[in-house]
Amino acid sequence: MKIYNLSITIALLLISSHCLIGQKLPDLIPFREKDLFGYCDSNLNVVIKAQYQRVHPFVEGRAIVVIDNLNGFIDPKGNQVVPCIYKFASAFSKGYALVGKSRQEARYINKKGETDSKKSNIGPAPATIDMGSGIRDRRIGPVKEGRYFYRGQNRTEGYMTVDGDTISSSEYKYPYHSESYSTSDNYDHKFQHFFESRAIVSGVNGQGYIDLDGYLVIDTVYDVAFNFKEGRAKVKLNGKYGFVDTQGNIIGEIKYDQACYFYDGMAQVILNDKCGYINLEGEEIIPLTYDYWQGEQYSSFKNGLVRVRINEKFGILDRNGTIITDVKYDDIMPFSYKRAIVKLKDKMGLIDEDGNEIVPPVYDAYYRLDQFAYVFETSSNDRQYELIDISGKILMSKSKDRATKEKGYTSGIYKVWSSSGHYLIDKYGTKYLK
């Protein structure tokens, strides 16, 4: 039995489309039939009939399904392996899922639906769930490199191993955040964690680093210390910025007005409102001749490319210092999956990593769904939307219906909201709607 699209004729999937995307669709895809959901394959053959109030993608051979607002699990053959009796449920991870009839009764189950005595080894429950273990009161953030930051009842704090051994000394303090000119780089917000076997501590005279055993390996002499990345850490000393390696050796000179984290072996440095790039040895391999533009997310090399600004206009620079686009855009967003949004005269478009305009800048707004497709808004007045893949092919043209990327759905599968409800569409433009 097949499902069919009432609004368009299903076309054969082109071989070229598969080459472009480079990733196959999942074996089972949720589809909608009236107000119920089931699963079909990529050829629209019904595998599990529409019978559920809501459904989720398959993860580790199990999918969450909802009946009467209660969650359970089915296998790929449609067998109800865990009954729909839980108020909440998480997808399986490493063979276990967190379920509960209330937030106070959370527990881990295996793929047969059985409570497993190994649940304590799976990791802490979400912060809103009290598992009665006291972990929520002591552990701060995730385990990294076998260590986590804790805070005790007597305001003691430091680092502990997953086996419960305290490794850090009470003579140090542990910064909650770092001074930074950038709020766009995630590394500036991830403190009280180990990065590349080093964690930041504060001493009497400044900040330095401890190793995984809690020993001070870089003296607390810096005004501000930042997290390690690519074997280098940004430090501030006497109002200037530079870099050190994991042994505390200074790389290049500490002389810059600002500096960014390393990406792809290169870091942006700023001096006298001009910026350029250094390599891991601290050598200025791209001269400081470009106009300074704040924000590490936008100014760091990723996949060998970075945006630069000259006289209020933006272009793209490669690792050799060659401009690969005309420096004409009013703005360029960071590259993601080899594509970047550009803005020209308040209109949005899309370029590839060679600087080619895949989608011309004629749209009022955009929204990236995933690595395969974008939604572009054709008019902010009447809100017409187009679904466009990364090759520039229009998958759904000028419609009031808007495609969204729902949490949990596999990449390449999107939910489309229409006046009659919602349905799914894939990265080839195939609609899963009866």
Side-chain angles (χ1 to χ4, degrees), residues 67-358:
I67 298 177
D68 295 331
N69 293 319
L70 295 175
N71 298 272
F73 293 86
I74 61 172
D75 65 18
K77 294 183 179 180
N79 299 313
Q80 190 85 42
V81 292
V82 179
C84 293
I85 58 175
Y86 295 107
K87 185 176 180 180
F88 66 89
S90 71
F92 274 89
S93 176
K94 298 181 181 179
Y96 296 92
L98 184 68
V99 298
K101 294 182 180 180
S102 70
R103 289 292 177 182
Q104 289 70 39
E105 298 177 1
R107 61 192 179 96
Y108 285 92
I109 60 172
N110 61 23
K111 291 185 178 181
K112 295 180 181 180
E114 304 165 336
T115 300
D116 199 292
S117 60
K118 297 179 181 180
K119 70 180 179 62
S120 60
N121 296 326
I122 305 306
T128 55
I129 300 176
D130 185 4
M131 297 292 288
S133 63
I135 288 178
R136 185 178 63 174
D137 297 329
R138 294 181 62 82
R139 180 179 293 181
I140 309 296
V143 174
K144 290 183 69 66
E145 301 191 61
R147 313 291 190 267
Y148 65 87
F149 185 80
Y150 74 92
R151 185 174 297 117
Q153 296 179 350
N154 297 323
R155 295 187 178 180
T156 58
E157 60 182 20
Y159 288 95
M160 186 175 290
T161 69
V162 292
D163 297 323
D165 298 323
T166 301
I167 66 167
S168 55
S169 171
S170 60
E171 68 180 288
Y172 302 120
K173 294 183 179 180
Y174 305 91
Y176 297 108
H177 57 83
S178 173
E179 169 201 303
S180 174
Y181 82 103
S182 168
T183 58
S184 60
D185 196 293
N186 289 333
Y187 278 80
D188 279 335
H189 304 286
K190 294 181 179 179
F191 276 70
Q192 297 173 333
H193 303 314
F194 275 88
F195 283 86
E196 300 185 3
S197 302
R198 299 291 183 265
I200 301 168
V201 295
S202 295
V204 175
N205 298 317
Q207 295 185 344
Y209 300 84
I210 59 172
D211 64 14
L212 291 172
D213 295 319
Y215 294 109
L216 187 70
V217 290
I218 301 176
D219 287 339
T220 53
V221 297
Y222 294 103
D223 303 337
V224 186
F226 296 79
N227 292 315
F228 270 89
K229 189 175 186 299
E230 299 189 13
R232 303 290 183 265
K234 179 173 57 175
V235 293
K236 184 180 180 181
L237 182 64
N238 299 324
K240 294 294 183 179
Y241 291 83
F243 292 88
V244 296
D245 64 17
T246 55
Q247 303 305 312
N249 299 310
I250 295 174
I251 306 300
E253 298 181 65
I254 301 179
K255 67 175 186 178
Y256 300 104
D257 297 331
Q258 290 288 358
C260 298
Y261 289 94
F262 274 91
Y263 284 88
D264 291 347
M266 301 177 73
Q268 185 191 65
V269 289
I270 300 101
L271 187 62
N272 299 324
D273 290 328
K274 293 292 183 180
C275 63
Y277 293 84
I278 63 173
N279 61 15
L280 290 168
E281 286 69 47
E283 302 166 335
E284 294 179 0
I285 56 176
I286 295 180
L288 281 67
T289 56
Y290 296 99
D291 297 339
Y292 162 67
W293 183 249
Q294 182 174 340
E296 299 196 18
Q297 181 181 4
Y298 301 97
S299 303
S300 297
F301 269 91
K302 295 179 182 177
N303 299 317
L305 300 173
V306 69
R307 76 170 190 171
V308 291
R309 187 176 74 157
I310 301 175
N311 298 327
E312 306 297 328
K313 295 295 182 179
F314 290 92
I316 299 297
L317 187 76
D318 68 16
R319 294 177 63 88
N320 298 318
T322 302
I323 297 288
I324 65 168
T325 64
D326 293 335
V327 183
K328 67 177 184 179
Y329 297 106
D330 298 318
D331 204 356
I332 301 177
M333 300 297 107
F335 271 90
S336 179
Y337 300 108
K338 301 182 180 181
R339 298 293 185 269
I341 292 291
V342 294
K343 182 178 180 181
L344 183 62
K345 298 180 180 179
D346 293 325
K347 297 293 183 179
M348 306 293 182
L350 188 70
I351 62 173
D352 65 15
E353 59 184 351
D354 294 320
N356 301 311
E357 286 188 357
I358 301 299

